[in-house]
Amino acid sequence: MKKAVFLIRSNDRKGLLSGISTFFYQQGFNILHCQQYTDNCENLYFMRVCLDITDMPVTRKQLAGSFEEYAKTLNLEYSLHYSDEPQRVAIMVSKTSHCLYDLLMHAQDEGDLACEIPLIISNHPDLEDVADKFRVPFYCFPIKKDCKREQEQQVIELLHKHHIDLVVLARYMQILSDEFINEFPGRIINIHHAFLPAFQGGNPYQRAWERGVKMIGATAHYATPALDEGPIIEQDVERITHEAEPDDLKRIGKDIERRVLTRAVRAHLEHRIITSGRRTIVFSR
Amino acid sequence: MKKAVFLIRSNDRKGLLSGISTFFYQQGFNILHCQQYTDNCENLYFMRVCLDITDMPVTRKQLAGSFEEYAKTLNLEYSLHYSDEPQRVAIMVSKTSHCLYDLLMHAQDEGDLACEIPLIISNHPDLEDVADKFRVPFYCFPIKKDCKREQEQQVIELLHKHHIDLVVLARYMQILSDEFINEFPGRIINIHHAFLPAFQGGNPYQRAWERGVKMIGATAHYATPALDEGPIIEQDVERITHEAEPDDLKRIGKDIERRVLTRAVRAHLEHRIITSGRRTIVFSR
Amino acid sequence: MKKAVFLIRSNDRKGLLSGISTFFYQQGFNILHCQQYTDNCENLYFMRVCLDITDMPVTRKQLAGSFEEYAKTLNLEYSLHYSDEPQRVAIMVSKTSHCLYDLLMHAQDEGDLACEIPLIISNHPDLEDVADKFRVPFYCFPIKKDCKREQEQQVIELLHKHHIDLVVLARYMQILSDEFINEFPGRIINIHHAFLPAFQGGNPYQRAWERGVKMIGATAHYATPALDEGPIIEQDVERITHEAEPDDLKRIGKDIERRVLTRAVRAHLEHRIITSGRRTIVFSR
Amino acid sequence: MKKAVFLIRSNDRKGLLSGISTFFYQQGFNILHCQQYTDNCENLYFMRVCLDITDMPVTRKQLAGSFEEYAKTLNLEYSLHYSDEPQRVAIMVSKTSHCLYDLLMHAQDEGDLACEIPLIISNHPDLEDVADKFRVPFYCFPIKKDCKREQEQQVIELLHKHHIDLVVLARYMQILSDEFINEFPGRIINIHHAFLPAFQGGNPYQRAWERGVKMIGATAHYATPALDEGPIIEQDVERITHEAEPDDLKRIGKDIERRVLTRAVRAHLEHRIITSGRRTIVFSR
């Protein structure tokens, strides 16, 4: 079923739900799902409206135009997305394959991650074989000390050339510059291999072992210039015991990382996320 | 903040959200939360609307009357509840105290279970001491073989006399008759000490041990004449290993039972549940 | 590090730990790990001993011979395994790829599943492409009504010809005959897409939706002639809400299935499992 | 069944398991459970031995004496505990009752927390009513700015006078001085209402909300002079969504806190914990 999705944000006030739902009803649309959230601390209103557009009563252009006009009268911020316009996703990796496999398998074999993956970018050649398996072009940009800036520039150009909508850092073990991140605001998802804000920065599994925690986790978040500080999309954990050595934590963690990352990417691709400062509203459907 | 809650059910069709939300807007109400759910398999629409009634623009009688009229035109089934009319809950127990403590502590000390508990009923005298601690009248009806029916009748009369809205079977180890259950349709919550539909019936922990499961659980559900078959409200589990003996399962299970039961009772008291056949819609707020 | 693993079972009595650990000490071995479990209900003793054999003080033949003699005196049942003799695993699949990918990725790319996978067997041609990606021979035996028996015979021969130690049913949607199962006693692991003993048999996700459960799960178990009744190795669950439709349950379930199956296969390959009737002892290391 | 428990720590080397288990065997004891753990990073060996002492072949004094001698020859650190010598536990609280109820209920009603609780200490009068319910003496030491030191001294004296073995900080919202903590080394258990090392220090739920985490947790740890830095005994988490407001986090968190604290206290009382630097070895039985 073809769908249009509106993500809406506004100051909270009376009548928003009545007004917006009536707008779509009067245009002749069937609302498939509608979820709202009011942040009472910040007095903000968030809404996701999902319309059935199988037999659209107006053209897409008309819908966009009339809602634009309506939104102006209410001072709504919003974005509009169509389920049949799949997003183009670039995956950036280093040496470990588990997150890459998961994204590719879900997108290509299982068909439950609605996106195109036109390229994979790495700073190491190790995972070219995995890219080959799924017939996705693989670009390797080994990081050299003095030319990190130029290399990033090349990557940015490549991403723009391929009209990339979303960049997924699937265990890409390089810190991106602020320029890179600001080039794709709210469109870079990173997986951190710890339960943020615990163990920000490097070597989280080793540090988790040393601290003697009884659970380890992973966190998917939007990348922002402040490292590991971006809005969190999804987290999960597993219980461990004292028997688990640092290498066991790495192995157990891989399973957490990939499911957390894939869930976060799915939520983004399904237009279920609105960010609000350091927080995310993640609608369930 | 005082609230009115509408729980609404209807056949699904266009315009319900627009119509209902506009009804409340035009009456001058602020909608605090509104959640919808469409069961596409059954083509049913469910809705929970929570209104701020701190400064009510109309009287309660007027609100009830005008919505009644409106609901008729759309053929909506609904119920209306007010947060400042706390429900009256009877707790039925046998010998184990953990669920009883949890409900009493949350209702009386923590103040996060909005209800009155005017009486506790048991078929054993063991827990009178707990009832005394919380100053709740305790009624003991020991089950004797030949007079189970009359005793049930006495309990029913007691419950009616105290205007009980909800009966919570907090590890009450007797099977209620169909007559009893039908006297309080959708108003009896039971905790079963297994992850239903696994281990329906008696002795679930022993049977779980014998079957060698690696997790045990508990299930809170509305009681229906078919034993352990009523609509499930909440479930949870804990991981176990081969080391856990039947007695360990009982101990671990107690912690699951009480949190599952308390969550289910809270959801009911907050008017967040609509049942639909064997399923429950449990709104998150 | 090269290791030898003894899995031992016996009637419980005094002195077993002292006797067995002293046997290995006197032979000059370093015990890396040793775990014991006493089933007090059945009065059985289970033990896993893991020896460092990097510099073995005696030959493998001598170790096997002397322990055999020692075991006779104590009437111990046991098996002996070496970490550098990787097991040969056959994977049987039907149409869904997620479990297959997981096993292949862990065995080939991540290197944390110590086995060889010489062949993949299916009753459908769909997953040949996945097998090709990992360069594993793929055998397709489409099930035809009248010749199921002969086909099973062909599969059994193929498995024997390849000296298969373990058969993994990675969402193989055919019921194996008792003959097949008895050919590989304790060496067939199946993944059932439900939290056993709930929803034994077919269509568990649909039935879970109809029953309105609030969590779904998966169960890895040894196959026995009684369908879905074999000893459970591993289980896991995820929380769901009323919003999840049967197709959502399938998607959510896939993630549970593959991690449960991979964990169970890893425990088997690392010789951490002893079965005891319908129960399994799964040592943590 | 009466039990003796030995907690043993040593440098790792060959023959420890054989030697120690043979020592107990030769003394005529039945080993009920025995668990070992080797920390390969630090080359340390840990062991918990649990003996059946229902019919003790030697006196307690003889057992203690002979093991002391044996331990000297191997340079073992150890402690010896008897299950029929219940420990004396003091609970320190401030204003919230959930952890206090849990400990009292398990110790007095459910009988699955083997300890005596001779007194409850608080810096506020609020929970005297709960103490009264369970007939435990309640001592209130309101903190005044200039005499915190003297008050702590009074508390220490009270604890010594009552021969307290374990101090449980069950949401005691005061920071203890180093002197206090050093008075009971390894014998003060604190519950921190966050998933450490995330959100050390004050107001963790508010900070968790602001950071937008998708799970919240609690951590039980031994108190050390460095605030919230002591060895972690137990942790647990619950999933939350963007809908949960700071007050919801507090409510959800209470359930996590009490089960984490009670599990940690149980592990301590059952002599299942050995600390090793910042880590704990928590034996499963």
Side-chain angles (χ1 to χ4, degrees):
Chain A
M1 187 189 287
K2 287 188 193 176
K3 299 173 189 175
V5 175
F6 285 83
L7 292 175
I8 300 168
R9 178 215 312 253
S10 161
N11 287 325
D12 188 34
R13 57 195 183 278
K14 272 192 194 177
L16 285 172
L17 178 59
S18 161
I20 297 169
S21 60
T22 302
F23 171 87
F24 291 118
Y25 178 55
Q26 287 177 344
Q27 296 259 334
F29 285 99
N30 188 24
I31 295 178
L32 291 170
H33 319 296
C34 177
Q35 292 193 346
Q36 309 91 46
Y37 165 66
T38 304
D39 181 339
N40 293 312
C41 303
E42 311 272 359
N43 198 42
L44 292 172
Y45 183 79
F46 302 88
M47 191 176 190
R48 182 181 187 267
V49 184
C50 180
L51 306 176
D52 179 0
I53 57 167
T54 319
D55 298 306
M56 221 169 147
V58 298
T59 65
R60 291 188 184 195
K61 205 172 159 185
Q62 285 171 326
L63 174 61
S66 61
F67 193 79
E68 171 69 20
E69 220 165 289
Y70 178 73
K72 261 184 204 157
T73 67
L74 290 174
N75 216 13
L76 309 177
E77 286 175 62
Y78 75 98
S79 60
L80 167 55
H81 314 272
Y82 291 98
S83 68
D84 59 357
E85 295 175 0
Q87 289 165 82
R88 296 171 65 78
V89 175
I91 305 176
M92 295 182 74
V93 292
S94 289
K95 291 183 168 181
T96 56
S97 67
H98 55 287
C99 289
L100 179 59
Y101 263 117
D102 215 45
L103 293 165
L104 291 169
M105 182 194 80
H106 279 288
Q108 289 194 7
D109 293 62
E110 299 292 324
D112 54 14
L113 210 55
C115 66
E116 288 164 13
I117 301 175
L119 78 170
I120 294 163
I121 293 168
S122 182
N123 57 332
H124 290 286
D126 306 50
L127 299 182
E128 179 153 19
D129 176 54
V130 178
D132 285 353
K133 278 178 178 151
F134 292 84
R135 300 195 182 91
V136 178
F138 181 86
Y139 295 83
C140 185
F141 293 88
I143 304 289
K144 284 165 203 152
K145 226 184 169 178
D146 300 331
C147 54
K148 204 175 158 179
R149 196 178 193 96
E150 289 119 77
Q151 282 166 324
E152 266 206 351
Q153 206 48 50
Q154 290 176 308
V155 172
I156 290 174
E157 276 168 34
L158 193 63
L159 295 172
H160 284 319
K161 191 179 149 195
H162 283 84
H163 303 285
I164 292 305
D165 296 299
L166 177 69
V167 178
V168 179
L169 307 178
R171 298 298 310 274
Y172 181 69
M173 306 307 280
Q174 288 289 323
I175 296 173
L176 298 177
S177 70
D178 291 8
E179 289 73 34
F180 191 114
I181 286 168
N182 290 329
E183 195 76 23
F184 302 93
R187 296 194 289 132
I188 305 176
I189 293 177
N190 181 45
I191 181 73
H192 184 71
H193 40 316
F195 189 80
L196 289 176
F199 307 119
Q200 291 187 211
N203 258 336
Y205 290 128
Q206 178 64 33
R207 288 154 64 206
W209 186 86
E210 286 165 8
R211 182 62 189 89
V213 293
K214 298 300 184 187
M215 302 181 106
I216 56 166
T219 304
H221 63 92
Y222 286 112
T224 56
L227 185 67
D228 299 333
E229 293 273 1
I232 292 169
I233 304 169
E234 169 70 353
Q235 301 187 290
D236 210 344
V237 297
E238 295 270 347
R239 190 169 281 277
I240 55 166
T241 74
H242 59 269
E243 291 185 328
E245 300 185 352
D247 276 352
D248 298 313
L249 301 194
K250 270 185 207 169
R251 182 178 50 70
I252 295 165
K254 286 192 296 188
D255 215 43
I256 316 173
E257 292 163 26
R258 66 172 177 176
R259 70 174 183 257
V260 165
L261 180 59
T262 297
R263 282 180 197 155
V265 170
R266 177 176 292 119
H268 182 96
L269 294 175
E270 295 177 355
H271 310 293
R272 291 193 280 109
I273 310 177
I274 304 178
T275 56
S276 174
R278 298 184 71 196
R279 309 181 72 235
T280 59
I281 290 88
V282 182
F283 294 107
S284 57
R285 65 183 302 171
Chain B
M1 188 191 287
K2 288 188 194 176
K3 299 174 189 175
V5 174
F6 285 83
L7 292 175
I8 300 167
R9 178 215 310 254
S10 162
N11 287 326
D12 189 33
R13 58 193 183 279
K14 272 190 195 179
L16 285 172
L17 177 58
S18 161
I20 297 169
S21 60
T22 301
F23 172 87
F24 291 118
Y25 178 55
Q26 288 176 344
Q27 297 258 332
F29 285 99
N30 187 24
I31 295 178
L32 290 171
H33 319 296
C34 177
Q35 293 194 346
Q36 309 91 47
Y37 166 66
T38 305
D39 181 338
N40 294 311
C41 304
E42 311 272 359
N43 197 41
L44 292 172
Y45 183 80
F46 301 88
M47 191 175 189
R48 181 182 188 268
V49 184
C50 181
L51 306 176
D52 179 359
I53 56 167
T54 319
D55 297 305
M56 221 169 148
V58 298
T59 66
R60 291 189 184 193
K61 206 173 157 182
Q62 285 171 327
L63 174 62
S66 60
F67 192 80
E68 172 68 20
E69 221 165 288
Y70 177 73
K72 261 184 205 158
T73 67
L74 290 174
N75 216 13
L76 309 176
E77 286 176 62
Y78 75 97
S79 60
L80 167 55
H81 313 271
Y82 291 100
S83 66
D84 58 358
E85 295 175 358
Q87 290 165 81
R88 294 171 66 78
V89 175
I91 305 176
M92 295 182 73
V93 293
S94 290
K95 290 182 169 183
T96 55
S97 66
H98 53 287
C99 289
L100 178 60
Y101 263 118
D102 216 46
L103 294 165
L104 291 168
M105 182 194 81
H106 280 287
Q108 289 194 7
D109 293 62
E110 299 292 324
D112 54 15
L113 209 56
C115 66
E116 288 164 13
I117 301 176
L119 79 169
I120 294 164
I121 293 169
S122 182
N123 57 332
H124 291 286
D126 305 52
L127 299 182
E128 179 154 20
D129 176 54
V130 178
D132 285 352
K133 278 178 178 151
F134 292 85
R135 301 195 181 89
V136 178
F138 181 86
Y139 295 83
C140 185
F141 293 88
I143 304 290
K144 286 165 202 153
K145 227 185 165 177
D146 299 332
C147 54
K148 202 174 160 181
R149 198 179 192 96
E150 290 119 75
Q151 283 166 322
E152 266 206 350
Q153 206 49 51
Q154 291 175 306
V155 173
I156 291 173
E157 275 168 35
L158 193 63
L159 294 172
H160 284 317
K161 191 178 149 195
H162 283 84
H163 304 285
I164 292 304
D165 297 298
L166 177 68
V167 178
V168 178
L169 307 178
R171 299 298 310 274
Y172 181 69
M173 306 307 280
Q174 288 290 322
I175 296 174
L176 298 177
S177 71
D178 292 7
E179 289 72 35
F180 191 114
I181 287 168
N182 290 328
E183 195 76 24
F184 302 93
R187 297 195 289 135
I188 305 175
I189 294 178
N190 182 44
I191 181 74
H192 184 70
H193 40 316
F195 189 80
L196 289 177
F199 308 118
Q200 291 187 213
N203 257 337
Y205 291 128
Q206 178 64 33
R207 289 154 64 204
W209 185 85
E210 286 165 8
R211 181 64 189 88
V213 293
K214 299 300 184 187
M215 302 181 106
I216 56 167
T219 304
H221 63 93
Y222 286 113
T224 58
L227 185 66
D228 299 334
E229 293 273 0
I232 292 170
I233 303 168
E234 169 70 352
Q235 301 187 290
D236 210 344
V237 297
E238 294 270 347
R239 190 170 282 278
I240 55 166
T241 74
H242 59 269
E243 291 185 328
E245 301 185 353
D247 276 352
D248 298 314
L249 301 194
K250 269 184 208 169
R251 182 178 48 72
I252 295 165
K254 287 191 297 188
D255 214 43
I256 315 174
E257 292 162 27
R258 66 173 177 175
R259 70 175 183 257
V260 165
L261 181 59
T262 298
R263 282 179 197 155
V265 171
R266 177 177 290 119
H268 182 96
L269 293 175
E270 294 177 356
H271 311 291
R272 291 193 281 108
I273 310 177
I274 304 178
T275 57
S276 174
R278 298 183 72 197
R279 310 182 71 236
T280 59
I281 290 88
V282 183
F283 294 107
S284 57
R285 63 184 302 171
Chain C
M1 188 190 288
K2 287 188 193 178
K3 300 172 188 176
V5 174
F6 285 83
L7 292 175
I8 300 168
R9 179 216 310 256
S10 162
N11 287 326
D12 188 34
R13 58 195 183 279
K14 273 192 196 180
L16 285 172
L17 177 59
S18 162
I20 297 171
S21 60
T22 302
F23 172 87
F24 291 118
Y25 178 55
Q26 287 177 344
Q27 296 260 333
F29 285 99
N30 187 24
I31 294 178
L32 291 170
H33 320 294
C34 177
Q35 293 193 345
Q36 309 92 45
Y37 165 66
T38 305
D39 181 338
N40 294 311
C41 304
E42 312 272 358
N43 198 40
L44 292 172
Y45 184 80
F46 302 88
M47 191 176 190
R48 181 181 187 267
V49 183
C50 180
L51 305 176
D52 179 359
I53 56 166
T54 318
D55 297 307
M56 221 169 148
V58 297
T59 66
R60 291 188 184 194
K61 206 175 160 182
Q62 286 171 325
L63 173 62
S66 60
F67 192 81
E68 172 68 21
E69 220 164 288
Y70 178 72
K72 261 185 205 158
T73 67
L74 290 174
N75 214 13
L76 309 177
E77 287 175 61
Y78 74 97
S79 61
L80 167 55
H81 314 272
Y82 291 99
S83 66
D84 58 358
E85 295 174 359
Q87 289 164 82
R88 296 171 64 79
V89 176
I91 305 176
M92 296 182 72
V93 293
S94 289
K95 291 182 168 182
T96 55
S97 66
H98 54 287
C99 288
L100 178 60
Y101 263 117
D102 216 46
L103 294 165
L104 290 169
M105 182 194 80
H106 279 288
Q108 289 195 7
D109 293 62
E110 299 293 322
D112 53 15
L113 210 55
C115 66
E116 288 164 12
I117 301 175
L119 80 169
I120 294 163
I121 293 168
S122 182
N123 57 333
H124 290 287
D126 305 51
L127 298 182
E128 178 154 21
D129 175 54
V130 179
D132 285 353
K133 279 177 178 153
F134 292 85
R135 299 197 183 89
V136 178
F138 182 86
Y139 296 83
C140 185
F141 293 88
I143 304 289
K144 284 165 204 153
K145 228 184 167 180
D146 300 330
C147 55
K148 204 175 160 180
R149 197 177 193 96
E150 290 118 76
Q151 282 166 322
E152 267 206 349
Q153 207 47 51
Q154 290 176 308
V155 172
I156 290 173
E157 276 168 33
L158 193 63
L159 294 172
H160 283 319
K161 192 179 148 194
H162 283 84
H163 303 285
I164 293 303
D165 296 298
L166 177 69
V167 178
V168 178
L169 306 179
R171 296 299 309 274
Y172 181 69
M173 306 307 280
Q174 288 289 323
I175 296 173
L176 298 177
S177 71
D178 291 8
E179 290 73 34
F180 192 115
I181 286 168
N182 290 329
E183 195 75 24
F184 301 92
R187 296 195 289 135
I188 305 176
I189 294 177
N190 182 45
I191 181 74
H192 183 70
H193 41 314
F195 188 79
L196 289 176
F199 307 120
Q200 290 186 212
N203 256 336
Y205 290 129
Q206 178 64 34
R207 287 156 63 205
W209 185 85
E210 286 165 8
R211 181 64 189 89
V213 294
K214 299 300 185 187
M215 301 181 106
I216 56 167
T219 305
H221 63 93
Y222 287 113
T224 57
L227 186 67
D228 299 334
E229 293 274 0
I232 293 170
I233 304 168
E234 169 69 353
Q235 301 188 289
D236 209 344
V237 298
E238 295 269 348
R239 190 169 281 277
I240 56 165
T241 74
H242 59 269
E243 291 184 328
E245 301 185 352
D247 276 353
D248 298 314
L249 301 194
K250 270 185 209 170
R251 181 177 50 71
I252 295 164
K254 287 192 297 190
D255 215 43
I256 315 174
E257 293 163 26
R258 65 172 177 176
R259 70 173 183 258
V260 165
L261 180 59
T262 297
R263 283 179 197 155
V265 171
R266 175 176 292 118
H268 182 96
L269 293 175
E270 294 177 357
H271 310 292
R272 291 192 280 109
I273 310 177
I274 304 178
T275 57
S276 174
R278 298 184 72 196
R279 308 181 72 235
T280 59
I281 290 87
V282 182
F283 294 107
S284 57
R285 63 184 302 173
Chain D
M1 188 190 288
K2 286 189 195 178
K3 300 173 188 175
V5 174
F6 285 84
L7 292 175
I8 300 168
R9 179 215 311 254
S10 161
N11 287 326
D12 189 33
R13 57 194 184 279
K14 273 191 195 180
L16 285 172
L17 178 59
S18 162
I20 297 170
S21 60
T22 301
F23 172 88
F24 290 117
Y25 178 55
Q26 287 176 345
Q27 297 258 335
F29 284 100
N30 187 24
I31 295 178
L32 291 170
H33 320 294
C34 177
Q35 293 193 344
Q36 309 91 46
Y37 165 65
T38 306
D39 181 338
N40 293 311
C41 304
E42 310 273 358
N43 198 41
L44 292 172
Y45 183 80
F46 302 88
M47 191 176 191
R48 181 181 187 268
V49 184
C50 180
L51 305 177
D52 179 359
I53 57 167
T54 319
D55 297 306
M56 224 169 146
V58 298
T59 66
R60 291 188 185 195
K61 206 174 159 183
Q62 285 171 326
L63 174 61
S66 61
F67 192 81
E68 171 69 19
E69 221 165 287
Y70 177 72
K72 261 185 204 155
T73 67
L74 290 174
N75 214 14
L76 309 177
E77 287 175 62
Y78 75 97
S79 60
L80 166 56
H81 314 271
Y82 291 99
S83 67
D84 59 357
E85 295 174 359
Q87 289 164 83
R88 296 171 64 79
V89 175
I91 305 177
M92 295 181 73
V93 293
S94 289
K95 290 183 168 181
T96 56
S97 67
H98 55 286
C99 289
L100 177 60
Y101 263 117
D102 215 46
L103 294 165
L104 291 168
M105 182 195 80
H106 279 289
Q108 290 196 6
D109 293 63
E110 300 292 323
D112 53 14
L113 209 56
C115 65
E116 287 165 13
I117 300 176
L119 79 169
I120 294 164
I121 294 168
S122 181
N123 57 332
H124 291 285
D126 305 51
L127 299 182
E128 178 154 20
D129 176 54
V130 178
D132 285 352
K133 280 178 179 153
F134 291 85
R135 299 196 182 89
V136 178
F138 181 87
Y139 295 82
C140 184
F141 294 88
I143 303 290
K144 284 164 204 155
K145 226 183 168 179
D146 299 332
C147 54
K148 204 175 159 180
R149 198 179 192 96
E150 290 119 76
Q151 282 167 325
E152 266 206 351
Q153 207 48 50
Q154 290 176 308
V155 173
I156 291 173
E157 276 168 35
L158 193 63
L159 295 172
H160 284 318
K161 190 179 149 195
H162 283 83
H163 303 286
I164 293 303
D165 296 299
L166 177 69
V167 178
V168 178
L169 307 178
R171 297 300 307 276
Y172 181 68
M173 306 307 280
Q174 288 289 322
I175 296 173
L176 298 177
S177 70
D178 291 8
E179 288 72 34
F180 191 114
I181 287 168
N182 290 329
E183 194 77 23
F184 301 92
R187 297 195 288 133
I188 305 175
I189 294 178
N190 182 44
I191 181 72
H192 184 70
H193 40 316
F195 189 80
L196 289 177
F199 307 120
Q200 291 187 212
N203 258 335
Y205 290 128
Q206 178 65 33
R207 287 155 64 206
W209 185 86
E210 286 166 8
R211 182 62 189 90
V213 294
K214 299 300 184 186
M215 301 180 106
I216 56 166
T219 304
H221 63 94
Y222 286 112
T224 58
L227 185 67
D228 299 334
E229 293 273 359
I232 293 170
I233 303 169
E234 169 69 353
Q235 301 187 290
D236 209 344
V237 297
E238 293 270 347
R239 189 170 282 277
I240 56 165
T241 75
H242 58 269
E243 291 185 327
E245 301 186 352
D247 275 353
D248 298 314
L249 300 195
K250 271 184 206 169
R251 183 178 48 72
I252 296 165
K254 286 191 297 189
D255 215 43
I256 316 173
E257 292 162 27
R258 66 173 177 176
R259 69 174 183 258
V260 165
L261 180 59
T262 298
R263 283 179 196 155
V265 170
R266 177 176 292 118
H268 182 97
L269 293 175
E270 294 177 357
H271 310 292
R272 291 193 280 108
I273 310 176
I274 305 178
T275 57
S276 175
R278 298 184 71 196
R279 309 181 71 235
T280 59
I281 289 88
V282 183
F283 294 107
S284 57
R285 62 183 305 170

